[in-house]
Amino acid sequence: MTSAVNHFTYGLLTPVLAYVMSCIGSMLGLRLTAQAHVSHGATRLRWLLGAAISIGGTGIWVMHFIAMMGFQVDGTQIKYDVWLTAASAVVAIVVVGTGLLLVSYGGGRLPALLGGGLLTGLGVASMHYLGMYAMNMSAHVSYDRLLVAASVGIAVVAATVALWFTLRVRKAVWITAASLVMGAAVAGMHYTGMYAMHVTVHGEPARIAGADALDFLVPLMTVISLITLTMLLMVILSPSQEEEREDAELVARLELRRRATRQQQELLYNGAVPRRQPRD
């Protein structure tokens, strides 16, 4: 018995919301990487970690499972393996973080960009199919190899472009435009992979193990979204690159003025500069 697979159970609600969340995660991640490029040491690593959580957690993982909320198979209930689903979130964050580290400390060189893009893209694809494998249903699942290969290719290209954006994008208007492109790429990879799935429902329904989406996914997505909002507040409250440059220039001018004043005082003290005599 071949099932009727529906990717848009709630109409455009889930794909639009998934795309918006992907754009938000990508936008925040790009902003955090811009902050990392003007930082050093442990501070730089913290900004990159925040970017990995934003892009990998919100931009990719949350987007994936919001879109999965609209996925339904007639004739069987769908539940999720808790540990595999949680592992997919860790995979998304770790691979994005690794790619960001390779590119950031690789000096923007082409081998580092291509290597980071390949690693991150394969990791994102692994996260996607691990999340799909975490679905339990009374059905047999198979995949179209050509569409799977296409989805992996989209993931690698999207990851490489995203990492390139982290090196080049600084201004708010370009960060916004780049996040829209990244959101479209992530969504395109997701739905390409979903259309690669073929489901055949079993004739006799069986007991399905796992957690319901509303009982498990929604709280987990809420936690990651709250973390993202917290980092967004951190970015808003932290000075921008232009403000830091202006502050540095102001400090430098004040330091030059202080040194000039001190030198003049030393010259006066040593008698090198004649003192003005009072007029009669």
Side-chain angles (χ1 to χ4, degrees):
M1 175 182 178
T2 303
S3 68
V5 176
N6 187 357
H7 296 278
F8 308 103
T9 304
Y10 304 104
L12 293 178
L13 176 62
T14 49
V16 170
L17 183 58
Y19 174 71
V20 169
M21 289 303 295
S22 183
C23 291
I24 291 175
S26 300
M27 184 184 302
L28 179 57
L30 290 174
R31 181 66 181 84
L32 288 169
T33 53
Q35 198 74 26
H37 290 318
V38 297
S39 304
H40 304 281
T43 302
R44 187 180 192 181
L45 289 175
R46 285 195 293 269
W47 287 123
L48 289 176
L49 175 60
I53 295 174
S54 299
I55 298 176
T58 302
I60 297 173
W61 189 88
V62 172
M63 175 273 155
H64 171 86
F65 281 102
I66 287 179
M68 291 303 296
M69 291 292 181
F71 179 75
Q72 183 179 351
V73 179
D74 292 342
T76 180
Q77 187 181 13
I78 299 176
K79 291 191 176 183
Y80 292 86
D81 184 290
V82 173
W83 292 109
L84 286 178
T85 304
S88 67
V90 175
V91 168
I93 294 172
V94 169
V95 296
V96 171
T98 303
L100 289 173
L101 286 174
L102 284 175
V103 171
S104 179
Y105 289 94
R109 292 187 294 270
L110 185 61
L113 176 62
L114 295 179
L118 177 62
L119 175 64
T120 305
L122 293 176
V124 169
S126 299
M127 170 265 144
H128 173 82
Y129 288 103
L130 182 60
M132 293 170 66
Y133 184 73
M135 292 189 301
N136 295 328
M137 64 183 83
S138 181
H140 173 73
V141 178
S142 60
Y143 293 92
D144 184 308
R145 295 182 180 180
L146 183 60
L147 287 177
V148 169
S151 68
V152 174
I154 293 173
V156 171
V157 173
T160 305
V161 172
L163 292 175
W164 183 86
F165 279 142
T166 65
L167 294 173
R168 300 291 186 269
V169 175
R170 295 291 183 273
K171 295 183 179 180
V173 61
W174 292 114
I175 287 178
T176 302
S179 65
L180 295 176
V181 174
M182 289 171 62
V186 172
M189 179 268 163
H190 170 85
Y191 284 106
T192 301
M194 291 303 297
Y195 276 108
M197 173 188 282
H198 299 290
V199 182
T200 303
V201 177
H202 294 157
E204 296 182 1
R207 183 178 178 273
I208 302 172
D212 291 329
L214 292 178
D215 296 334
F216 170 60
L217 290 177
V218 172
L220 190 56
M221 287 188 294
T222 301
V223 170
I224 295 179
S225 299
L226 287 175
I227 294 174
T228 301
L229 290 176
T230 301
M231 289 188 293
L232 178 61
L233 290 176
M234 292 171 56
V235 171
I236 292 174
L237 295 176
S238 63
S240 65
Q241 185 175 359
E242 184 177 353
E243 291 172 339
E244 289 184 347
R245 185 174 63 251
E246 292 176 353
D247 290 342
E249 292 175 352
L250 177 60
V251 170
R253 288 198 298 268
L254 291 174
E255 180 64 20
L256 288 174
R257 183 176 299 178
R258 186 183 65 82
R259 290 180 180 178
T261 302
R262 178 186 294 178
Q263 290 176 356
Q264 187 176 11
Q265 290 174 347
E266 290 176 353
L267 291 174
L268 288 172
Y269 180 79
N270 295 327
V273 176
R275 302 177 183 271
R276 292 184 178 180
Q277 299 296 327
R279 297 181 179 178
D280 295 334

